[in-house]
């Protein structure tokens, strides 16, 4: 499996790819580095995102695996525009299920940031976040996107 680690303001990240698709993004520095052209492209895109120069790309091939339901939730997350948020209930209305099941799918998201589960909020607050430093990381990502809200995929 191809792997590439990078430093970011949200902490060290390691990207993984298999069969020409990104399959995971994990916090921490991976012990093995075997970069592919796709992972180098993803790293460059993430660097531009963290530098406030561009929105997350929507054309990177992702293969998060998961159940059919989780894939529907993750597709709904990718449809949330840069700088915007949705509630767990709004995602449930699109993908099916309940706000709680959307939260479960978010917690199981193997490609955070690129599948932007940080953009999903509870009706009365931030909700949860299991990546990086938890809610501190979620706040950071949301603040970053608020500052660079002008970027769109249009």
């Amino acid at each position: 499996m191809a792997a590439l680690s990078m430093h970011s303001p949200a902490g060290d990240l390691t990207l993984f790819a298999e069969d020409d698709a990104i399959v995971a993004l994990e916090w921490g520095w991976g012990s093995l580095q075997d970069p592919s052209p796709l992972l180098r492209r993803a790293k460059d895109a993430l660097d531009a995102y963290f530098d406030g120069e561009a929105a997350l790309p929507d054309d990177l091939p992702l293969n998060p695996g998961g159940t059919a339901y989780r894939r529907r939730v993750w597709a709904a997350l990718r449809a949330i525009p840069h700088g915007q948020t949705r509630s767990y209930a709004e995602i449930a209305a699109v993908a099916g299920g309940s706000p709680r099941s959307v939260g479960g799918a978010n917690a199981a998201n193997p490609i955070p940031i690129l599948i932007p589960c940080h953009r999903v909020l509870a009706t009365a607050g931030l909700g949860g976040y299991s990546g990086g430093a938890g809610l501190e990381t979620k706040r950071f990502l949301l603040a970053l996107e608020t500052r660079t809200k002008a970027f769109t995929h249009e």
Side-chain angles (χ1 to χ4, degrees), residues 15 22 25 42 45-46 56-57 60 62 78 111-116 118:
L15 293 153
I22 296 168
L25 184 153
L46 284 164
L56 291 169
L60 288 171
L62 306 181
R78 290 193 78 192
I111 314 173
I113 304 174
L114 294 175
I115 298 176
H118 61 276

Side-chain angles (χ1 to χ4, degrees), residues 36-58:
S36 67
L38 170 61
L39 291 180
R40 290 183 197 281
R41 186 173 145 231
K43 179 193 177 301
D44 290 345
L46 284 164
D47 284 337
Y49 168 76
F50 285 120
D51 288 345
E53 298 171 355
L56 291 169
D58 59 1

